[in-house]
């Protein structure tokens, strides 16, 4: 509270001193018309009212301004003369200007504070919703393979003497596959920690789209050597602000889901479109498509289908994709085309004179 009082007093005193100094300068340069001097003080009043809170400082400034014009710049100089023609009108006018400006700015500041608080609450609600979705997806997508690893390893340890070589290899292969799946999930979760907790945004820098796409394809093909991707992108040299690691993870998740769940042997299409305000990435498969009724919930970790492997759902990966794209102030969506499913997301281009947060 004291800090605000000192700040308001400092602004008021500084404004009045500056106006008085400027008025003396004009007065000694030959501009002795008190009406012109009054305009300088009126400007100071408006600036003080705009930059202070409440009405008190504007009223005090009004009293000083009227007195200063009367004492310093109206004959007889350096004396208070209440008989000057129009003096009450000048006082009332300056006081009215101060009150009107103070009232308007106070109302605007209150409205801004209300809007800021509302936006903060909405952001908190969105973060809580995302957190709940991630926890729900984690509870399913991580618990199931862990249970399988424990079961397979227990079977091997307890009954290894009675197992055939083929059965042993199958159990070990299952453990290896489950462990890799868990590693993939952990990588997904770790990417979310790169998103700033306070603002829900990411630190972006200009990245070459072709390089980010190439790195994502290389990484996903190391996991799935049989995965084939056909890339279609403009010949233009594209650079957009992003966190390259996070966007690579989004591309990996979407391409991996298409490979694992589309039930198709055809290559995946990765199409990049250069629009006026954004760059759009489309990942298309040529498989069984998505359940139309469940598409609205697909990024909330709730998607399930009779064709989807419930053991390795697509929930957590898509929830994280939504979190990452939202943090980039972009959009992500899913739909069916005539020959399968398509996931697309858009990242805004760099705006002129914009400093990336």
């Amino acid at each position: 509270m004291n800090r605000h009082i000192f700040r308001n007093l400092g602004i008021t005193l500084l404004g009045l001193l500056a106006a008085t100094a400027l008025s003396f300068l004009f007065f000694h340069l030959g501009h002795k018309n008190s009406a012109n001097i009054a305009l300088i003080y009126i400007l100071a009043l408006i600036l003080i009212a705009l930059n202070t809170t409440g009405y008190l400082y504007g009223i005090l400034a009004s009293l000083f301004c009227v007195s200063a014009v009367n004492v310093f710049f109206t004959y007889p100089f350096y004396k208070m003369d209440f008989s000057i023609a129009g003096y009450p009108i000048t006082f009332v006018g300056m006081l009215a200007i101060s009150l009107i400006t103070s009232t308007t700015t106070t109302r605007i500041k209150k409205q801004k504070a209300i809007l800021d608080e509302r936006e903060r609450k909405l952001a908190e609600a969105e973060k809580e919703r995302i957190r709940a979705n991630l926890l729900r997806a984690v509870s399913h997508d991580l618990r199931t393979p862990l249970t399988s690893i424990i079961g397979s390893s227990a079977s091997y340890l307890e009954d290894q003497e009675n197992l055939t070589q083929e059965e042993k290899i199958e159990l070990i292969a299952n453990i290896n596959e489950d462990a890799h799946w868990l590693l993939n999930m952990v990588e997904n979760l770790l990417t979310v920690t790169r998103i700033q907790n306070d603002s829900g945004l990411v630190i972006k820098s200009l990245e070459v789209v072709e390089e980010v796409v190439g790195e994502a394809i290389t990484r996903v093909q190391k996991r799935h050597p049989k995965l084939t991707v056909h890339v279609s992108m403009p010949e233009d040299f594209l650079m957009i602000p992003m966190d390259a690691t996070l966007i690579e993870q989004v591309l990996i998740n979407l391409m991996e889901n298409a490979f694992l769940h589309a039930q198709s042997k055809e290559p995946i299409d990765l199409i990049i479109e250069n629009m006026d305000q954004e760059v759009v990435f489309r990942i298309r498969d040529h498989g069984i498509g998505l359940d139309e009724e469940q598409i609205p919930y697909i990024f909330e970790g709730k998607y399930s289908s009779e064709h989807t492997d419930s053991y390795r759902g697509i929930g957590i990966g898509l929830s994280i994709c939504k979190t990452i794209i939202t943090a980039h102030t972009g959009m992500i969506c899913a739909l069916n085309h005539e020959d399968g499913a398509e996931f697309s997301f858009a990242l805004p281009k760099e705006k002129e004179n914009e400093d990336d947060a």
Side-chain angles (χ1 to χ4, degrees):
M1 182 66 69
N2 289 335
R3 186 183 64 180
H4 290 298
I5 292 175
F6 287 134
R7 176 184 175 276
N8 290 330
L9 283 174
I11 291 173
T12 303
L13 291 174
L14 184 63
L16 293 177
L17 286 173
T20 302
L22 189 60
S23 297
F24 270 112
L25 178 63
F26 270 63
F27 192 77
H28 288 294
L29 288 176
H31 303 282
K32 299 185 182 296
N33 189 335
S34 60
N36 294 335
I37 301 297
L39 289 176
I40 296 175
Y41 278 107
I42 289 173
L43 177 60
L45 274 179
I46 294 173
L47 293 175
I48 290 169
L50 285 172
N51 291 282
T52 56
T53 55
Y55 308 102
L56 176 63
Y57 305 98
I59 293 172
L60 293 176
S62 299
L63 293 172
F64 175 85
C65 290
V66 175
S67 301
V69 172
N70 185 303
V71 172
F72 299 131
F73 306 106
T74 306
Y75 185 85
F77 300 116
Y78 301 103
K79 288 184 180 181
M80 180 70 74
D81 186 359
F82 293 98
S83 64
I84 299 174
Y87 178 79
I89 297 176
T90 303
F91 173 75
V92 171
M94 285 191 170
L95 186 61
I97 289 171
S98 175
L99 289 175
I100 292 171
T101 308
S102 297
T103 302
T104 304
T105 54
T106 300
R107 186 181 294 115
I108 292 172
K109 288 174 183 176
K110 287 181 179 179
Q111 290 175 347
K112 183 179 184 300
I114 292 171
L115 289 174
D116 289 344
E117 180 65 16
R118 185 179 300 170
E119 289 181 1
R120 187 189 66 79
K121 289 181 178 180
L122 288 173
E124 287 295 327
E126 179 65 15
K127 286 169 65 176
E128 189 60 34
R129 187 186 67 81
I130 291 172
R131 188 181 297 112
N133 289 338
L134 288 176
L135 287 175
R136 182 168 48 250
V138 166
S139 66
H140 176 272
D141 283 12
L142 294 188
R143 185 190 305 165
T144 306
L146 277 173
T147 302
S148 177
I149 288 174
I150 293 171
S152 297
S153 59
S155 297
Y156 186 90
L157 292 173
E158 294 172 3
D159 202 29
Q160 57 181 307
E161 294 181 356
N162 298 322
L163 295 174
T164 64
Q165 185 66 20
E166 289 76 12
E167 289 172 333
K168 290 179 181 180
I169 292 174
E170 183 179 356
L171 286 173
I172 294 173
N174 289 338
I175 293 172
N176 182 70
E177 187 177 356
D178 294 333
H180 277 89
W181 183 256
L182 282 174
L183 177 62
N184 182 35
M185 289 299 98
V186 170
E187 287 178 354
N188 268 304
L189 292 174
L190 287 176
T191 59
V192 179
T193 64
R194 294 173 61 90
I195 298 175
Q196 297 173 358
N197 292 327
D198 294 335
S199 64
L201 300 177
V202 293
I203 299 175
K204 296 181 282 186
S205 60
L206 281 176
E207 302 287 347
V208 180
V209 172
E210 185 177 1
E211 292 180 358
V212 175
V213 169
E215 181 64 23
I217 293 174
T218 300
R219 287 176 58 193
V220 77
Q221 286 180 333
K222 286 182 180 179
R223 296 180 189 172
H224 308 286
K226 295 183 180 179
L227 185 153
T228 303
V229 182
H230 285 172
V231 180
S232 174
M233 63 183 301
E235 295 182 359
D236 302 338
F237 183 74
L238 292 180
M239 291 185 70
I240 55 175
M242 67 171 82
D243 182 313
T245 301
L246 292 180
I247 298 304
E248 284 174 15
Q249 191 64 48
V250 171
L251 290 168
I252 289 170
N253 287 352
L254 296 179
M255 289 187 289
E256 190 170 55
N257 279 338
F259 177 73
L260 294 175
H261 302 295
Q263 298 183 17
S264 172
K265 295 182 179 180
E266 294 188 41
I268 296 166
D269 294 327
L270 173 54
I271 303 165
I272 300 166
E273 299 175 351
N274 183 17
M275 314 298 285
D276 289 338
Q277 303 295 327
E278 60 192 12
V279 174
V280 180
F281 300 76
R282 304 185 189 278
I283 293 86
R284 290 179 181 169
D285 63 53
H286 303 276
I288 58 175
L290 301 169
D291 185 339
E292 290 284 351
E293 294 182 356
Q294 297 197 51
I295 287 179
Y297 316 106
I298 198 167
F299 295 107
E300 299 180 7
K302 301 178 182 179
Y303 184 85
S304 61
S305 169
E306 61 181 6
H307 302 294
T308 301
D309 181 3
S310 61
Y311 176 83
R312 295 183 177 84
I314 63 178
I316 188 171
L318 292 180
S319 295
I320 289 172
C321 288
K322 175 67 177 294
T323 302
I324 292 171
I325 298 303
T326 300
H328 281 77
T329 63
M331 298 290 292
I332 186 169
C333 65
L335 52 85
N336 285 321
H337 60 90
E338 60 183 11
D339 193 26
E342 174 181 305
F343 288 85
S344 64
F345 63 90
L347 297 178
K349 292 181 179 180
E350 184 183 35
K351 296 179 181 179
E352 291 185 4
N353 302 322
E354 177 187 52
D355 293 325
D356 294 328

